[in-house]
């Protein structure tokens, strides 16, 4: 009985926290939709626009489209992911709370099954990350390469080109794996932007120092003989930020696994201990049951 009450309290308490967290995810998604109206993001966006405007003037090419561009064009997909994730998490957490507080065997069973599927899926992903990282990395890179093929360079400010310029400028990186990736682009416009007379081997944006003019001497930073560019690929730049510290990543994964395992165990205990029919159709006595659980938990800890 005490173990059942402990499990009910554990599942209820953390799912209430997850419900609030789901609201945060939805809020982040909404904020991403209006990112250009946020001071910090707008400041970064303005810095990149200033750099691109200055560079286009220096090499004698058009800057049409730069000032009309907004980072939100590239955040719509991310925003949608956050909003959907928040809604899914809210539904899952609500199901867990209903199952624990209302003694609903059906809700608790659905909740436990979803958590188990997520748990197994996360184990598979972690195994792939550490045992066969090329599988996941290759899939992500394929998407990035498809996007990079549409890169056109300075003077051609479509959304894809501006997105890559923004990213490379902020992350101090070049291409997916390196500057040589730009050989796959559908056009070679980026090799001779503006008044540049000799083919470039890397985009001007990859240069460590902004070229002051379109002369061969000033744009030599983007030629193989005298390269002075950011050599790290953008994929590795982001991967190092997210997964670079293996110790911290391992700790995060371990804590997440233990926590989910406890949720699964307690959910199974509640399912096994619930012999009554679902009470969702009746009035759910939320407050009384919750208080009884906390009292029972306090007695258990004494």
């Amino acid at each position: 009985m005490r173990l059942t009450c402990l499990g009910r309290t554990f599942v209820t308490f953390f799912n209430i926290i997850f419900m609030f967290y789901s609201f945060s995810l939805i809020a982040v998604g909404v904020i991403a939709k209006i990112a250009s109206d946020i001071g910090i993001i707008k400041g970064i966006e303005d810095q990149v626009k200033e750099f691109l405007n200055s560079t286009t003037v220096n090499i004698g090419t058009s800057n049409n489209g730069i000032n009309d561009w907004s980072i939100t064009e590239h955040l719509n997909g991310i925003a949608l992911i956050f909003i959907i994730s928040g809604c899914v998490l809210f539904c899952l957490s609500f199901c867990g709370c209903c199952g624990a507080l209302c003694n609903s065997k059906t809700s608790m069973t659905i909740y436990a099954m979803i958590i188990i599927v997520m748990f197994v899926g996360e184990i598979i992903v972690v195994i792939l990350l550490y045992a066969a990282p090329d599988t996941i990395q290759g899939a992500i890179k394929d998407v990035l390469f498809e996007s990079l093929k549409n890169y056109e360079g300075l003077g051609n400010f479509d959304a894809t080109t501006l997105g890559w310029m923004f990213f490379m400028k902020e992350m101090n990186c070049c291409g997916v794996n390196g500057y040589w990736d730009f050989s796959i682009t559908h056009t070679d416009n980026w090799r001779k932007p503006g008044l540049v007379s000799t083919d470039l081997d890397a985009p001007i944006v990859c240069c460590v120092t902004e070229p002051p003019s379109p002369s061969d001497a000033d744009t030599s930073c983007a030629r193989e003989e005298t390269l002075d560019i950011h050599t790290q690929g953008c994929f590795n730049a982001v991967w190092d930020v997210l997964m670079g510290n293996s110790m911290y990543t391992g700790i995060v994964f371990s804590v997440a696994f233990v926590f989910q395992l406890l949720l699964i165990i307690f959910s199974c205990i509640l399912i096994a201990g619930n012999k009554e029919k679902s009470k969702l159709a009746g009035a759910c006595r939320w407050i009384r049951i919750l208080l009884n659980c906390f009292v029972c938990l306090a007695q258990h800890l004494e």
Side-chain angles (χ1 to χ4, degrees), residues 36 41 52 111-112 126 138 142-143 151 154 160 168 191 217 231 252 256 258 287:
S36 290
I41 296 179
L52 293 177
Y111 175 79
V126 170
D142 287 344
V143 175
Y151 182 85
L154 291 168
T160 300
M168 291 189 292
R191 292 187 182 276
T231 56
V252 170
V258 171
I287 299 178

Side-chain angles (χ1 to χ4, degrees), residues 109-130:
T109 302
I110 294 173
Y111 175 79
M113 289 177 63
I114 294 174
I115 294 294
I116 290 172
V117 170
M118 291 173 57
F119 184 71
V120 173
E122 288 168 11
I123 290 177
I124 294 173
V125 170
V126 170
I127 291 174
L128 290 175
L129 279 175
Y130 288 97

Side-chain angles (χ1 to χ4, degrees), residues 10-11 15 18 111 115 259-267:
F10 184 88
V11 173
N15 276 288
F18 289 153
Y111 175 79
I115 294 294
F259 182 74
Q260 283 182 282
L261 190 59
L262 287 173
L263 282 176
I264 292 171
I265 292 172
F266 283 130
S267 297

